[in-house]
């Protein structure tokens, strides 16, 4: 037993700065793919408008979008993005709006590598790093102008730094570590609110309960309260001034974002984005693919003892955050896809451990079967599509899925042979690794894990670098903005209903809907223009449609159909 423990201790290492720098450069190149793709829908354009509000108008405390709505979240992400834009030409475009997310994603991937190597093993660290950046649910969110990636990095940094503090509850560790945890949690609060403290506390409690330790004992220690005090003090830097300046309006927004999203509508919650209880679990299984294929053998390895005892505590600690995210947001009233992001690092670390098992038991055999199915099934599919290029499944998909399917068919026809050869190359590597295995410390093979991770990275890279930007270009309103500018020339532009942040960002016009007097009261000599999709036109009365003068259209791959620009005649406004 002591010999095994010595080998495990030897496998754990603090990686050299040069190694971490190379990993950071690699992760940055992978995650930055598609950063310049056009915005789609409302979330990212609205974030970009909040950044514009800071850069252009100096609204650092409470940014506003083009329609005058205030930022609903603490502004750290927008502050950092505004600084990037301010130092690079004072222009807020797709790259500048997403730069903070890419840097945060890179830092998170490197942090996962460093922590896992130091606490579990160097092999597990390399695999966890590879699995994380090769997961589409992670890589795709590294190029989104949203707060979630920054929150996940800060949360992981704080949560990982707490781990040594739990070794002995009576020995809180160095004060510098406590300050670091408090600062990271405080910055996380400035990114997305007090949910950072809640998730951290819940994850720590789950970890202690799994180890049959009492989490309430932590409340008798001084350091948790000191950490929370530091975090709250940093969060108050924005919350207090914002509440004073914004008054009741901003207080209502803060309440809705932090409590209204968690509570059901009957108890005062916002009631928006309602989805069934299992929604987060389903999105997590899909967003963490293909890592999720390895969750079952990982759980089985704990049961069969194929994961050595010395590694279990660190693995349990990190996967507890994944369980906390799953539990908290499954109970919450509002459920969104982005909420799964903090759960992915723990899953990556857990799945990496499956390739360094101490014995070859049931879990190891199941792992091998899953990996080879993952390697060979796509290969068979690629060969089939190359041999029968005209074959196409007729699927009943949603508009976004249908767009991706159509784009995949078009791109695959051009690069089918290259994709097939690349997949064959790595499947061949995996086969050779079985014939000529490379042994690492502990006497286990992890080449199969490398093959699995590289192929996952290859698939994710193709999606984020090629497919996703292609679809974004075909669905975005960006190509329509210069056309609109040529026709409108400063006159009134309208939309059928609601708010369109994508149009307002690219055109620079906060277009009101047709119920607005600016759109309804059409006067001769003062042109009023309308941007509408085919589906929106079908919802209008025939009398109104008859008085719309068609000017031009822009074809988009979208369920709403092509967008058209019309001039509204005075009769249509009566």
């Amino acid at each position: 037993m002591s010999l095994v423990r010595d080998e495990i201790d030897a496998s754990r290492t603090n990686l050299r700065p040069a190694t971490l720098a190379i990993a950071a450069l690699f992760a940055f190149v992978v995650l930055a793919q598609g950063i310049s793709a056009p915005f789609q829908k409302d979330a990212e354009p609205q974030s970009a408008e909040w950044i514009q509000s800071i850069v252009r108008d100096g609204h650092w405390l409470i940014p506003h979008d083009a329609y005058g709505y205030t930022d609903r979240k603490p502004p750290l992400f927008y502050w950092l993005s505004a600084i990037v834009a301010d130092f690079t030409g004072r222009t807020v475009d797709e790259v500048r709006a997403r730069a903070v997310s890419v840097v945060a994603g890179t830092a998170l991937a490197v942090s996962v590598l460093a922590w896992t190597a130091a606490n579990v093993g160097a092999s597990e660290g390399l695999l966890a790093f590879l699995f994380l950046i090769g997961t589409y649910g992670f890589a795709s969110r590294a190029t989104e102008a949203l707060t979630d990636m920054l929150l996940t990095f800060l949360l992981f940094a704080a949560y990982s730094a707490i781990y040594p503090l739990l070794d002995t509850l009576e020995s809180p560790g160095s004060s510098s570590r406590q300050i670091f945890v408090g600062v990271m949690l405080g910055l996380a609060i400035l990114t997305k609110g007090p949910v950072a403290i809640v998730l951290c506390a819940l994850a720590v409690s789950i970890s202690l309960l799994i180890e049959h330790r009492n989490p309430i004992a932590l409340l008798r220690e001084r350091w948790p309260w000191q950490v929370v005090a530091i975090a709250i003090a940093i969060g108050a830097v924005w919350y207090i001034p914002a509440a004073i300046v914004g008054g009741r309006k901003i207080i209502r927004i803060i309440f809705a974002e932090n409590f209204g999203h968690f509570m059901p509508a009957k108890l005062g919650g916002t009631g928006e984005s309602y989805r069934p209880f299992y929604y987060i679990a389903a999105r997590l299984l899909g967003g963490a693919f293909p890592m999720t294929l390895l969750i079952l053998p990982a759980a089985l390895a704990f049961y069969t003892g194929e994961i050595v005892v010395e590694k279990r505590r660190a693995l349990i600690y990190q996967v507890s955050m994944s369980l906390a995210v799953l539990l908290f947001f499954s109970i919450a009233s509002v459920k969104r896809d982005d909420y799964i992001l903090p759960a992915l690092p723990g899953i990556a670390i857990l799945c990496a451990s499956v390739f360094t098992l101490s014995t070859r038991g049931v879990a190891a055999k199941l792992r091998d079967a899953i990996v080879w199915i993952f390697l060979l099934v796509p290969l068979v599919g690629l060969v089939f599509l190359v041999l029968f290029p005209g074959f196409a499944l007729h699927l009943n998909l949603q508009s976004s899925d249908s767009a991706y399917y159509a784009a995949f068919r078009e791109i695959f026809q051009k690069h089918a042979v290259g994709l097939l050869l690349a997949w064959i190359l790595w499947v061949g590597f995996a086969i050779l690794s079985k014939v000529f295995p490379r042994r690492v410390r502990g006497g286990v093979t992890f080449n199969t894990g490398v093959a699995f991770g590289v192929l996952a990275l290859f698939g994710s890279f193709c999606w984020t670098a090629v497919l996703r930007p292609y679809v974004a270009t075909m669905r975005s309103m960006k190509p329509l903005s210069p056309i609109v500018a040529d026709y409108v020339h400063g006159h009134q532009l309208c939309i059928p209903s609601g708010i369109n942040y994508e149009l307002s960002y690219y055109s620079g016009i906060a277009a009101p809907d047709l119920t607005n007097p600016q759109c309804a009261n059409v006067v001769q000599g003062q042109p009023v223009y309308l941007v509408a999709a085919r589906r929106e036109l079908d919802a209008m009365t025939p009398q109104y449609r008859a008085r719309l003068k068609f000017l031009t259209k822009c074809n988009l791959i979208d369920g709403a159909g092509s967008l058209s620009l019309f001039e509204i005649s005075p009769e249509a406004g009566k």
Side-chain angles (χ1 to χ4, degrees):
M1 181 64 70
S2 61
L3 180 61
V4 172
R5 185 179 294 107
D6 291 340
E7 291 179 348
I8 292 171
D9 291 339
S11 71
R12 296 170 178 165
T13 181
N14 292 319
L15 298 178
R16 293 179 298 176
T19 302
L20 297 177
I22 294 172
L25 179 61
F26 180 74
F28 182 84
V29 171
V30 170
L31 297 179
Q33 300 304 309
I35 191 174
S36 60
F39 293 138
Q40 298 181 71
K41 300 184 179 179
D42 289 339
E44 287 192 283
Q46 188 181 30
S47 290
E49 289 179 359
W50 284 329
I51 300 169
Q52 283 179 331
S53 178
I54 297 173
V55 175
R56 181 186 59 208
D57 305 322
H59 294 159
W60 287 85
L61 187 62
I62 306 177
H64 299 77
D65 62 38
Y67 286 89
Y69 290 101
T70 58
D71 175 16
R72 299 189 302 271
K73 298 177 178 64
L76 179 61
F77 174 84
Y78 309 107
W79 287 347
L80 295 176
S81 299
I83 292 172
V84 171
D86 204 31
F87 279 92
T88 56
R90 297 183 62 82
T91 300
V92 181
D93 57 10
E94 293 91 348
V95 174
R96 292 173 175 87
R98 292 163 170 163
V100 172
S101 292
V102 175
V103 173
T106 300
L108 175 58
V110 174
S111 298
V112 168
L113 168 61
W115 189 93
T116 309
N119 294 277
V120 183
S123 299
E124 291 89 341
L126 291 172
L127 290 176
F129 171 80
L130 192 59
F131 290 174
L132 189 62
I133 63 175
T135 299
Y136 173 76
F138 178 83
S140 63
R141 289 174 174 84
T143 50
E144 288 187 347
L146 301 174
T147 61
D148 301 276
M149 186 61 78
L150 179 60
L151 168 70
T152 302
F153 164 64
L154 295 170
L155 189 60
F156 181 84
Y159 183 67
S160 297
I162 291 175
Y163 180 64
L165 302 179
L166 301 176
D167 283 338
T168 305
L169 294 180
E170 291 77 14
S171 178
S174 65
S175 58
S176 59
R177 183 178 293 275
Q178 298 171 34
I179 294 173
F180 176 81
V181 174
V183 170
M184 291 296 103
L185 281 179
L187 295 177
I189 291 174
L190 285 178
T191 302
K192 199 128 184 177
V195 68
I197 293 180
V198 175
L199 286 176
C200 222
L202 182 58
V204 169
S205 299
I206 292 173
S207 174
L208 293 176
L209 287 172
I210 292 175
E211 294 180 355
H212 304 288
R213 297 166 66 182
N214 186 4
I216 299 178
L218 278 179
L219 301 179
R220 295 193 291 268
E221 298 293 321
R222 182 181 301 174
W223 69 265
W225 300 104
Q226 292 172 338
V227 166
V228 172
I230 295 172
I232 292 176
I234 293 175
V237 169
W238 176 78
Y239 274 96
I240 292 177
I244 294 173
V245 174
R248 292 184 176 181
K249 179 181 179 181
I250 197 68
I251 291 174
R252 284 196 300 268
I253 292 174
I254 292 173
F255 180 84
E257 283 295 311
N258 292 285
F259 301 102
H261 283 183
F262 180 78
M263 302 298 292
K266 294 180 180 179
L267 298 179
T270 59
E272 60 179 291
S273 300
Y274 173 79
R275 291 177 174 114
F277 176 81
Y278 57 83
Y279 179 82
I280 293 296
R283 299 306 298 178
L284 185 58
L285 290 174
F289 186 85
M291 288 194 302
T292 45
L293 297 173
L294 301 171
I295 291 178
L296 181 58
L300 188 59
F302 270 93
Y303 178 77
T304 59
E306 293 171 65
I307 295 179
V308 295
V309 176
E310 288 77 9
K311 295 183 178 183
R312 291 187 184 185
R313 184 166 180 266
L315 295 174
I316 289 173
Y317 184 76
Q318 284 296 347
V319 83
S320 293
M321 177 58 76
S322 304
L323 295 174
V325 171
L326 177 62
L327 177 62
F328 181 80
F329 290 115
S330 294
I331 296 174
S333 176
V334 176
K335 301 175 179 66
R336 297 195 177 113
D337 295 1
D338 298 325
Y339 292 171
I340 69 170
L341 196 56
L344 297 183
I347 295 177
I349 295 170
L350 174 68
C351 293
S353 69
V354 176
F355 292 95
T356 58
L357 301 178
S358 60
T359 59
R360 181 167 177 77
V362 178
K365 295 176 182 178
L366 178 60
R367 172 206 64 199
D368 289 346
I370 290 174
V371 168
W372 284 107
I373 290 173
F374 173 74
L375 297 179
L376 296 177
V377 169
L379 180 61
V380 173
L382 289 174
V383 171
F384 180 83
L385 292 177
V386 169
L387 295 177
F388 303 96
F391 178 81
L393 293 174
H394 298 282
L395 304 174
N396 185 18
L397 303 172
Q398 295 181 351
S399 60
S400 59
D401 296 331
S402 178
Y404 276 109
Y405 180 58
F408 171 77
R409 288 179 55 193
E410 181 175 343
I411 294 173
F412 181 81
Q413 289 176 356
K414 299 177 181 178
H415 307 284
V417 176
L419 292 172
L420 179 60
L421 290 177
W423 202 274
I424 290 175
L425 176 66
W426 279 105
V427 171
F429 169 80
I431 294 173
L432 290 176
S433 70
K434 299 295 290 184
V435 180
F436 305 104
R438 174 193 168 191
R439 295 285 173 176
V440 296
R441 287 175 180 174
V444 293
T445 303
F446 84 117
N447 280 357
T448 304
V450 173
F452 180 89
V454 169
L455 284 176
L457 178 61
F458 174 73
S460 176
F461 188 87
C462 290
W463 196 285
T464 56
V466 181
L467 192 60
R468 191 167 178 244
Y470 178 85
V471 172
T473 302
M474 298 304 295
R475 299 186 72 193
S476 175
M477 290 186 177
K478 185 176 183 178
L480 184 66
S481 58
I483 301 174
V484 170
D486 289 341
Y487 279 96
V488 174
H489 291 299
H491 293 290
Q492 184 61 54
L493 178 67
C494 302
I495 56 177
S497 60
I499 292 175
N500 193 321
Y501 285 112
E502 191 179 344
L503 179 63
S504 67
Y505 171 79
Y506 283 118
S507 68
I509 303 172
D513 62 26
L514 293 176
T515 61
N516 191 290
Q518 294 174 298
C519 300
N521 300 326
V522 182
V523 179
Q524 190 72 38
Q526 297 181 5
V528 176
Y529 297 90
L530 173 69
V531 172
R534 184 178 63 248
R535 183 174 58 191
E536 294 169 322
L537 291 174
D538 293 339
M540 298 177 183
T541 63
Q543 294 80 5
Y544 198 96
R545 288 200 305 268
R547 289 167 172 79
L548 296 178
K549 179 184 177 182
F550 173 78
L551 299 177
T552 187
K553 73 175 182 178
C554 180
N555 292 319
L556 303 177
I557 301 178
D558 198 341
S562 59
L563 283 174
S564 299
L565 178 66
F566 302 89
E567 181 179 344
I568 307 176
S569 68
E571 291 80 3
K574 294 180 181 178

